[in-house]
């Protein structure tokens, strides 16, 4: 299913600061949860977030601009309040690297709190998995810049892969009259 902005915002509103950072990073970069968790400050080079996807070994350079630039500044500011030093972009509330189990637990808690707080969206909220942010990113960028841009952000060699697995809303078409 496609994660609407209303569903995303409901879960986001119930999320901790580390989870909000993780949701934003996964959505803005279109990367898998494991790849988002592996991102470090050392991956930021010349205004790009450099990464190699773990699953496909696909290298990407994501331009740090707009909301992604704001997110990086927000992460840096939050990390500066901790004594622990880690290069990881995603850190927990104690300043240590955010782990996959902690991400899962925090997401599950935020999702359940959002479902209880927003009964009208509860079914859609409970159907929302963190991994769905990758498809949301693909759909949203496809609407804005086209399927090729979505495919490139996700690191696919073929637009067909993006179309088959991630574009969930369908093409925008117009009626005959």
């Amino acid at each position: 299913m496609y994660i609407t902005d209303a569903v995303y915002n409901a879960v986001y509103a119930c999320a901790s600061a580390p989870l909000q950072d993780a949701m934003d990073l996964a959505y803005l970069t279109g990367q898998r949860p494991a790849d988002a968790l592996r991102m470090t400050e050392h991956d930021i080079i010349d205004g790009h977030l450099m990464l190699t996807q773990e699953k496909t070994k696909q290298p990407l350079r994501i331009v740090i601009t707009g909301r992604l630039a704001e997110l990086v500044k927000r992460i840096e500011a939050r990390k500066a309040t901790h004594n622990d030093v880690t290069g990881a972009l995603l850190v927990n509330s104690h300043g240590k690297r955010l782990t996959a189990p902690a991400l899962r637990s925090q997401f599950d808690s935020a999702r359940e709190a959002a479902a209880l707080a927003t009964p009208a969206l509860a079914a859609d909220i409970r159907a929302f998995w963190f991994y769905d942010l990758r498809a949301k990113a693909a759909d949203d960028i496809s609407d804005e810049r086209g399927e090729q841009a979505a495919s490139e952000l996700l690191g696919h060699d073929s637009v067909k892969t993006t179309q088959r697995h991630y574009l969930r809303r369908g093409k925008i078409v117009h009626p005959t009259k």
Side-chain angles (χ1 to χ4, degrees), residues 1 9 30 35 57 66 80 84 88 91 98 112 117 121 138:
M1 71 176 245
N9 291 335
D35 291 326
K57 306 301 182 216
D84 290 328
V91 296
L98 187 64
E112 189 56 31
L121 296 174

Side-chain angles (χ1 to χ4, degrees), residues 64 67-79:
I64 299 176
R67 285 183 49 203
L68 182 57
E70 293 169 14
L71 172 63
V72 169
K73 286 180 185 171
R74 186 177 82 211
I75 288 171
E76 289 171 352
R78 197 163 64 76
K79 285 178 64 174

Side-chain angles (χ1 to χ4, degrees), residues 21-22 24-32 34-53 58-65 67-69 71-73 75-76 87-90 152-153:
D21 291 347
D24 285 342
L25 189 61
Y27 170 69
L28 294 171
T29 64
Q31 299 307 299
R32 295 172 184 86
D35 291 326
L37 288 169
R38 286 186 27 249
M39 293 177 189
T40 70
E41 295 168 350
H42 307 294
D43 297 330
I44 299 173
I45 302 168
D46 296 329
H48 295 89
L49 180 58
M50 313 282 278
L51 64 110
T52 301
Q53 295 179 328
Q58 181 74 26
L60 293 174
R61 292 182 303 161
I62 301 171
V63 178
I64 299 176
T65 187
R67 285 183 49 203
L68 182 57
L71 172 63
V72 169
K73 286 180 185 171
I75 288 171
E76 289 171 352
L89 287 180
L90 296 177
E152 290 169 359
L153 181 65

Side-chain angles (χ1 to χ4, degrees), residues 104-148:
R104 173 70 184 264
S105 174
Q106 289 182 30
F107 185 78
D108 288 349
S109 295
R111 184 179 54 197
E112 189 56 31
L116 294 173
T118 319
L121 296 174
D124 289 342
I125 290 170
R126 287 189 174 109
F128 175 15
W129 292 91
F130 192 90
Y131 191 86
D132 292 329
L133 292 173
R134 186 163 160 84
K136 178 172 179 47
D139 268 318
D140 291 355
I141 196 136
S142 175
D143 285 353
E144 202 175 296
R145 295 187 220 151
E147 292 178 355
Q148 182 64 42

Side-chain angles (χ1 to χ4, degrees), residues 32 55-56 134 138 147 150-151 154-167:
R32 295 172 184 86
K55 180 179 176 183
T56 63
R134 186 163 160 84
E147 292 178 355
S151 181
L154 271 55
H156 293 150
D157 289 329
S158 167
V159 173
K160 296 234 181 260
T161 302
T162 308
Q163 291 169 334
R164 183 174 40 252
H165 299 289
Y166 292 98
L167 298 180

